[in-house]
Amino acid sequence: MTNPIHILVIDDEPQILRALRTILTAKQFRVSTALRGEEGLALAAAEQPDLIILDMSLPDMDGIQVCKELREWTNTPILILSVRDSEKDKVAALDAGADDYLTKPFGIEELLARIRVALRHRTQSSGGGKRSKVRAGKVEIDLTSFSVRRENVEVSLTATEFKLLAYLASHAGRVLTHQMILSNVWDPAEADKIEYLRVYIRQLRKKLEDDPQNPKILLTEPGIGYRFIADE
């Protein structure tokens, strides 16, 4: 019998901890909880969970700082849950190393979907690297042969367009901030050139989406960045 997936929840609201423990245990996850940041960091180090759900507002330290300290030694997926809904807070959490962000109150099915995506990334990474092919609807991206096909017809992309698409696709399901994308696809010095990025996203949508004005693959996270939606 395989060990259940272990989720650590760090949140100072007892009712949230109880609700998440009930929901996640019912889905066959093993759940640990912490009410404070320092306690959460200690549990993360001692128990090595498969995923961490982290609140932004903790009594002893800010969730951003917890996230940064975790990222100093672990790649465990981090899902932020917070009442803070500003773009600034979301960008700060994602740039600090969080994989995703949900605002309270949240829907149970959405939470479970975000958990599945984060765990899928963890499995791919621990399996010896990213998957070589990513499918999204009619689109197939071969990250090894640097090719893209739509409805089995080769799509012509520039080198920069492919590099951008490959970066987004290799982090499918994860919200990537403008700064993260620009720094990784171009150069850290280009991290503030958001309009430059928007131009390339528009070009990719024209080549890949059925309706570029209503994209299903390359989604905009307003004020934050983009999310690539791949098939399960």
Side-chain angles (χ1 to χ4, degrees):
M1 183 176 178
T2 58
N3 292 327
I5 291 168
H6 181 194
I7 297 178
L8 169 62
V9 184
I10 308 172
D11 197 302
D12 67 336
E13 296 183 61
Q15 64 270 33
I16 291 288
L17 292 183
R18 286 194 298 270
L20 288 176
R21 183 184 290 278
T22 299
I23 293 165
L24 297 175
T25 301
K27 295 295 181 180
Q28 308 305 312
F29 294 114
R30 176 189 164 206
V31 181
S32 296
T33 60
L35 287 163
R36 302 170 67 85
E38 289 291 353
E39 180 189 4
L41 288 168
L43 277 175
E47 300 188 352
Q48 301 285 308
D50 299 297
L51 181 139
I52 297 169
I53 295 177
L54 173 64
D55 184 29
M56 289 273 277
S57 301
L58 298 167
D60 58 337
M61 60 194 302
D62 190 79
I64 297 293
Q65 186 59 37
V66 175
C67 196
K68 287 179 178 178
E69 292 193 24
L70 286 167
R71 280 293 171 256
E72 290 178 0
W73 59 271
T74 181
N75 289 321
T76 299
I78 300 171
L79 173 58
I80 298 289
L81 292 183
S82 180
V83 294
R84 301 185 201 172
D85 195 27
S86 74
E87 293 172 1
K88 181 180 178 181
D89 285 322
K90 292 180 181 180
V91 169
L94 294 164
D95 282 341
D99 293 81
D100 211 340
Y101 192 114
L102 267 180
T103 304
K104 298 176 183 176
F106 52 87
I108 294 173
E109 289 307 317
E110 183 177 12
L111 172 65
L112 293 172
R114 300 290 182 91
I115 288 173
R116 287 194 297 270
V117 169
L119 290 172
R120 190 159 62 243
H121 293 162
R122 178 182 178 276
T123 300
Q124 290 161 6
S125 298
S126 63
K130 301 288 184 181
R131 50 185 171 177
S132 61
K133 290 185 179 180
V134 180
R135 290 181 175 82
K138 301 172 183 177
V139 176
E140 179 180 276
I141 304 159
D142 192 321
L143 300 172
T144 304
S145 66
F146 307 104
S147 64
V148 179
R149 302 181 74 83
R150 183 173 183 274
E151 295 185 290
N152 214 30
V153 176
E154 184 109 17
V155 177
S156 178
L157 299 180
T158 67
T160 302
E161 286 172 346
F162 183 83
K163 188 176 180 182
L164 171 58
L165 181 62
Y167 180 69
L168 293 168
S170 64
H171 296 84
R174 180 179 175 183
V175 180
L176 300 173
T177 67
H178 299 125
Q179 184 177 17
M180 291 165 66
I181 298 169
L182 287 161
S183 296
N184 282 276
V185 177
W186 282 274
D187 184 271
E190 310 286 338
D192 61 342
K193 298 185 177 178
I194 297 175
E195 186 54 43
Y196 192 54
L197 171 59
R198 290 186 180 125
V199 169
Y200 276 88
I201 291 290
R202 283 197 293 269
Q203 291 172 186
L204 285 174
R205 284 173 172 165
K206 287 178 182 177
K207 295 181 178 184
L208 303 177
E209 300 277 4
D210 287 338
D211 180 0
Q213 299 302 315
N214 295 286
K216 304 297 183 185
I217 299 171
L218 296 167
L219 302 189
T220 298
E221 296 286 338
I224 300 171
Y226 298 94
R227 187 198 301 262
F228 184 97
I229 302 299
D231 295 346
E232 291 291 333

